[in-house]
Amino acid sequence: MTEEYNHLGIVVSGSLTKGIEVRLDGSASVEEMAVGRYVTIQGEKRRFFGMITDISLGVTDERITLSPPPAADRFTAEVLAGTGTFGTLHVLPMLTIGGDTGALIEGPQPVKTVPAHFAEVRLASQQDMETVFGGEDARKFYIGTPLDMETKICLDLPELVKRSNGIFGKSGTGKTFLTRILLIGMLQKSAAVNLVFDMHNEYGWEGSSESKHGKVKGLKQLFPASVAVFTLDEESSKRRKVSTDFVVRIGYDEIEPEDIALLRQTLNLTDIAVEAVYQLARKYGRNWVQSTLDIEDAEELPEGLNIHESTLQNLQRGLNTFRRLPFLTPHSSENVVQRILEYLDRGINVVLEFGRYTDITAYILVANLLSRRIYDQYRSRTEKATAEDSIPPRPLVITIEEAHKFLNPVVANQTIFGTIAREMRKYNVTLLVIDQRPSGIDEEVMSQLGTKITCLLDNERDIDAVLAGVSGRNELKSVLAKLESKQQALIFGHAVPMPVVVKTREYGSAASYKDFGSDEAETQKKTKKDIEELWG
Amino acid sequence: MTELSSRVGEVIEASTVEFVAQCYELYRSPPLGSLVKTADENAEQYGIVYNVTTSSIEPGRRPIARGKDEANEADIYSNSPQLAKLLRTEFSAILVGHRHGAELRYYLPPHPPRIHSFVYQCQSEEVKEFSRAFEFLPMLVGAQLPVPVEEVVAACLRQMSREAEDPHRFLVTAGKELAVLLGNDFNRLKAILGRIRAG
Ligand SMILES: Nc1ncnc2c1ncn2[C@@H]1O[C@H](COP(=O)(O)OP(=O)(O)O)[C@@H](O)[C@H]1O
Ligand SMILES: [Mg+2]
């Protein structure tokens, strides 16, 4: 690509809030433009960076549209291109580079003004993109390439995991693939450990793909030394030949009233039934679930409990669901939480697969129950570390799918996930939420997500929810709605200097695994080194 | 530069914006739209031919029809050799630029050409040099002429394009200039484009 080729046109009008109108030269073809691409604008003092968010056609004289030249008259069309008829780009300015020397050292800055009239506009070059997104390094992880370019777009992972993040997109757009890639990135570059609640058994050992590969490797196949697979369904894991590290059993006595509150909808409980749970738990203590299931008649209820017969029945019907979940036993002698923490402390990422128990009840119950207790541990350990000025626990990222089930406005205040999302990284725990229906997530939680990566969304409400509070939201909306139906994502937030559309890095071919650095010896060495560094 | 031009006549009438030249040879006028220049010791001035006339040298006396008994037109002239002396061909050119030192300037010279200045038809190299920029087009397009301006502009560009390395490119670029000049007059633009398309 020559410089000449990159020339697009000039700035003709615009504003900082609404974006800039760029008039395309006759030589630049409208058809070669695409929303989501980057341009640079050479101002007098600094260079601006912006994203194309709309493309339109204009005429200088309405008569051209009224009596257009005949289609066969290529000559007239060619003459008119860029003169009587012209393309316009709508560009959202995002960053500036340069200015005085100080600014050069500081790197790209958010825009505070617009370029002057007639400033020259060009397609951003590979080098421009590198200046802004930087190359791969110890912190930066290659997540994908910008549209029509080979530059690597990199995320600053230590920065990313400081806050909770979200991956969105409708079904089949590449959320799972993106998540896998991001998990690898975190595993390699962030110094954080992950706990993944793997509803569909896609992350730990092996996942499926719609493409010709059929199957793709999971994290443990690629990085056996730094990933452990826990399972709730040993039989299913065995059948799939997963090398599991631990079989999870949870006792009824580990279930707390908050867990039930969260399951109100899926267990079909009335509000009164949920209130009754708290009474029962106060009365029976840890054994409240078993005790409640054992009551045969409301008359048998101990004194002081004010629970109506129908409420009790409603509750018992709900709790009976637990009996169908074999990983739940009245009492479990193993302390799952402790086991998970042991792994996490060693810097080993834990993927908990659900086997056949893919129904939402099991998922909500287990994810909430375990996360709450792990979080409690993190909190007390962090507080202790602060008090004693010792090393706090390794940063933890908890990945949950179907996030709106945990974080919808009704329950977000009650769940541990709502707490984690809201308080940022107070206790070294953050979330990676994956959801195809972001409009179902509490607004406040959404606003706390540091970086959002979103694949195609076509529901207006979902698009609004994801873009709420983002500057240039209207413009980004059209970009988001025009993403390819697979393997393309819009990334914006803390971990990138400006919103960017990427073609997500390829995952699933042998070459891709190699690119991800699935080298056993190396990983082991690094993990060991990390541990040494961390624990001295 | 003069060697590159061929002398075709002399200025017989001049004003700030145009001049009229008489041809040395009957009917040997540079064609409509061609680039001509006048040269005296002070200046070279460029014009575009917009009108060509042939008439009796004596004002008020019109030629009469003579060919009734002749087989063809050529016989009329050979049978009345004096005819060529009684008729003259003149052409009018609109001034579109001048040369100052080595520099071409696409605006009107300070003084019109003098009477009897020689007039040359510009040859290939000079046409190429002059048409490297289109700054002469505004003067041409904006002129008030007794002939249709679109015809003159089109004829001029057609001729210039023949000297260009890439005639099509040349016409497209010129067309774009016109499109800008005639931004609010699509019909005139169409009229010119329609006349240069065939190139
Ligand atoms: N980065 C990628 N590399 C290779 N294939 C991909 C990638 N992203 C998406 N795909 C293709 O798109 C399909 C759907 O992606 P997936 O992550 O399962 O969607 P979602 O989780 O959003 O429903 C995958 O099966 C795969 O074929
Ligand atoms: Mg998925």
Side-chain angles (χ1 to χ4, degrees):
Chain A
M1 265 199 243
T2 61
E3 294 289 279
E4 188 76 10
Y5 180 84
N6 281 337
H7 176 84
L8 293 180
I10 53 166
V11 171
V12 287
S13 70
S15 80
L16 186 55
T17 46
K18 297 213 184 74
I20 291 169
E21 291 297 323
V22 174
R23 183 155 162 179
L24 279 182
D25 278 2
S27 56
S29 158
V30 191
E31 291 174 20
E32 278 168 24
M33 302 297 118
V35 290
R37 278 228 214 150
Y38 279 109
V39 299
T40 58
I41 305 171
Q42 186 61 55
E44 270 161 43
K45 295 232 171 72
R46 45 181 72 85
R47 228 140 50 92
F48 293 75
F49 239 90
M51 185 195 266
I52 300 177
T53 56
D54 199 4
I55 299 164
S56 47
L57 294 173
V59 291
T60 44
D61 183 345
E62 283 307 317
R63 270 173 291 186
I64 296 178
T65 43
L66 295 178
S67 65
D73 186 357
R74 295 309 308 154
F75 177 70
T76 303
E78 202 179 341
V79 166
L80 289 179
T83 55
T85 62
F86 51 88
T88 357
L89 301 180
H90 192 81
V91 170
L92 187 63
M94 289 171 168
L95 291 177
T96 55
I97 308 177
D100 48 46
T101 29
L104 268 175
I105 294 162
E106 278 168 31
Q109 299 294 308
V111 274
K112 296 201 183 64
T113 181
V114 291
H117 267 109
F118 314 132
E120 194 201 354
V121 181
R122 295 179 178 198
L123 267 184
S125 66
Q126 307 260 11
Q127 206 191 343
D128 293 329
M129 296 303 280
E130 263 156 40
T131 313
V132 173
F133 292 99
E136 271 175 303
D137 60 23
R139 297 170 59 95
K140 290 204 166 139
F141 177 71
Y142 158 40
I143 183 104
T145 49
L147 303 184
D148 307 307
M149 273 197 213
E150 270 128 56
T151 324
K152 292 176 175 173
I153 298 290
C154 298
L155 298 183
D156 185 329
L157 287 186
E159 192 60 38
L160 181 93
V161 300
K162 281 187 186 160
R163 319 229 346 210
S164 290
N165 303 296
I167 293 182
F168 306 106
K170 58 179 198 157
S171 180
T173 50
K175 295 184 296 300
T176 300
F177 274 60
L178 244 170
T179 306
R180 240 187 245 118
I181 293 170
L182 205 57
L183 286 170
I184 292 177
M186 290 195 268
L187 177 153
Q188 291 177 330
K189 312 220 157 164
S190 74
V193 271
N194 293 277
L195 170 58
V196 183
F197 290 102
D198 185 3
M199 191 173 191
H200 304 289
N201 317 314
E202 318 174 280
Y203 300 106
W205 187 248
E206 193 170 60
S208 60
S209 167
E210 296 163 17
S211 83
K212 57 181 188 304
H213 304 296
K215 287 208 150 74
V216 294
K217 294 191 184 203
L219 298 181
K220 187 164 177 179
Q221 285 189 341
L222 295 179
F223 304 98
S226 35
V227 180
V229 177
F230 282 35
T231 182
L232 282 172
D233 184 352
E234 195 179 10
E235 215 184 301
S236 149
S237 300
K238 274 205 180 115
R239 203 165 351 98
R240 288 180 287 116
K241 302 199 172 55
V242 180
S243 127
T244 53
D245 296 79
F246 189 75
V247 179
V248 174
R249 298 256 171 277
I250 293 170
Y252 287 167
D253 52 359
E254 296 173 58
I255 299 173
E256 295 180 19
E258 292 94 287
D259 297 320
I260 306 299
L262 199 57
L263 290 168
R264 195 191 72 75
Q265 257 189 333
T266 49
L267 294 183
N268 232 335
L269 301 178
T270 61
D271 286 338
I272 305 171
V274 174
E275 272 167 40
V277 167
Y278 287 90
Q279 287 186 50
L280 290 160
R282 259 197 307 279
K283 193 81 197 170
Y284 293 119
R286 289 176 57 99
N287 281 323
W288 74 271
V289 175
Q290 190 60 50
S291 307
T292 306
L293 285 168
D294 289 343
I295 299 170
E296 291 189 351
D297 196 320
E299 316 240 304
E300 280 178 30
L301 279 170
E303 250 175 79
L305 285 186
N306 179 19
I307 299 169
H308 198 269
E309 174 78 47
S310 61
T311 305
L312 182 65
Q313 280 171 4
N314 175 251
L315 181 58
Q316 285 181 327
R317 253 197 315 277
L319 295 183
N320 248 319
T321 313
F322 295 165
R323 297 200 207 236
R324 291 204 306 272
L325 300 173
F327 59 83
L328 287 179
T329 56
H331 177 75
S332 163
S333 53
E334 276 280 6
N335 188 339
V336 191
V337 172
Q338 214 41 55
R339 290 305 288 268
I340 293 176
L341 283 170
E342 276 165 30
Y343 277 91
L344 298 180
D345 286 343
R346 277 158 49 209
I348 295 178
N349 300 275
V350 176
V351 178
L352 173 57
E353 54 173 48
F354 280 66
R356 285 161 295 171
Y357 311 119
T358 52
D359 79 80
I360 196 71
T361 310
Y363 193 70
I364 294 179
L365 177 71
V366 173
N368 196 53
L369 185 150
L370 294 180
S371 300
R372 187 181 57 238
R373 291 164 59 197
I374 287 165
Y375 177 78
D376 283 345
Q377 294 279 325
Y378 258 76
R379 183 172 56 202
S380 55
R381 285 159 67 177
T382 315
E383 277 167 355
K384 189 151 164 266
T386 317
E388 295 171 359
D389 209 9
S390 58
I391 300 170
R394 220 174 245 277
L396 169 65
V397 178
I398 300 179
T399 299
I400 48 166
E401 299 181 81
E402 302 286 342
H404 66 274
K405 301 276 188 194
F406 303 90
L407 295 166
N408 62 58
V410 181
V411 300
N413 289 324
Q414 306 160 29
T415 68
I416 183 60
F417 298 109
T419 311
I420 299 174
R422 272 191 306 270
E423 67 192 13
M424 298 179 59
R425 201 180 48 158
K426 203 160 155 201
Y427 300 116
N428 266 356
V429 183
T430 56
L431 299 179
L432 175 61
V433 301
I434 305 168
D435 208 321
Q436 51 180 317
R437 257 201 53 207
S439 61
I441 298 178
D442 183 56
E443 270 176 40
E444 199 203 330
V445 170
M446 280 301 270
S447 72
Q448 293 296 332
L449 298 180
T451 302
K452 293 174 190 144
I453 304 181
T454 173
C455 303
L456 178 69
L457 285 168
D458 49 14
N459 178 302
E460 193 76 11
R461 288 178 47 220
D462 288 331
I463 294 177
D464 286 340
V466 166
L467 294 174
V470 182
S471 81
R473 137 175 104 261
N474 285 330
E475 286 79 5
L476 291 177
K477 226 166 139 166
S478 62
V479 174
L480 178 50
K482 296 287 178 302
L483 290 178
E484 298 272 317
S485 64
K486 263 190 186 44
Q487 218 181 329
Q488 263 193 12
L490 171 68
I491 308 178
F492 55 96
H494 281 75
V496 281
M498 64 181 169
V500 59
V501 174
V502 297
K503 176 172 188 297
T504 312
R505 186 173 172 177
E506 167 73 26
Y507 186 100
S509 62
S512 72
Y513 298 141
K514 192 149 165 272
D515 284 349
F516 282 113
S518 156
D519 184 328
E520 227 1 58
E522 286 244 341
T523 332
Q524 263 162 351
K525 247 190 348 226
K526 182 166 186 306
T527 312
K528 218 166 134 218
K529 192 164 147 268
D530 274 0
I531 292 171
E532 273 160 17
E533 266 170 25
L534 224 93
W535 307 114
Chain B
M1 284 278 168
T2 315
E3 325 78 59
L4 298 171
S5 321
S6 73
R7 185 139 72 96
V8 288
E10 265 172 50
V11 173
I12 54 166
E13 199 182 316
S15 75
T16 298
V17 293
E18 60 179 321
F19 64 84
V20 179
Q22 183 181 338
C23 297
Y24 290 133
E25 310 265 348
L26 189 64
Y27 299 131
R28 289 289 171 81
S29 155
L32 178 69
S34 52
L35 182 68
V36 293
K37 74 170 177 184
T38 71
D40 53 40
E41 60 270 32
N42 301 324
E44 290 184 332
Q45 309 194 6
Y46 291 90
I48 302 288
V49 175
Y50 74 79
N51 196 18
V52 183
T53 57
T54 299
S55 56
S56 159
I57 50 170
E58 284 181 59
R61 286 191 62 182
R62 286 158 66 105
I64 48 170
R66 291 166 185 272
K68 191 156 181 253
D69 302 317
E70 307 289 357
N72 55 41
E73 183 200 321
D75 290 348
I76 302 175
Y77 285 91
S78 51
N79 290 339
S80 321
Q82 77 284 10
L83 259 184
K85 299 250 175 322
L86 296 174
L87 292 173
R88 63 178 169 190
T89 297
E90 295 169 3
F91 62 90
S92 314
I94 170 168
L95 286 166
V96 289
H98 63 284
R99 191 184 289 278
H100 183 87
E103 179 200 3
L104 273 176
R105 293 179 163 176
Y106 296 93
Y107 52 85
L108 290 178
H111 304 285
R114 297 197 312 217
I115 302 302
H116 295 303
S117 301
F118 291 166
V119 181
Y120 304 85
Q121 180 174 358
C122 298
Q123 302 299 292
S124 191
E125 284 309 309
E126 202 163 11
V127 172
K128 229 187 245 177
E129 186 199 6
F130 190 84
S131 59
R132 213 162 279 153
F134 290 105
E135 287 154 71
F136 62 92
L137 276 179
M139 263 189 288
L140 195 57
V141 170
Q144 299 287 332
L145 301 179
V147 296
V149 176
E150 294 76 36
E151 292 288 351
V152 180
V153 175
C156 166
L157 290 174
R158 274 197 311 263
Q159 293 202 29
M160 287 178 169
S161 75
R162 267 171 232 141
E163 309 300 340
E165 255 137 57
D166 180 348
H168 176 77
R169 231 359 320 122
F170 177 89
L171 288 174
V172 169
T173 315
K176 285 182 187 293
E177 291 289 330
L178 290 171
V180 174
L181 287 173
L182 298 172
N184 50 14
D185 199 345
F186 184 52
N187 291 337
R188 274 188 81 195
L189 177 64
K190 260 204 325 202
I192 300 176
L193 294 184
R195 285 163 172 76
I196 61 177
R197 185 168 42 216

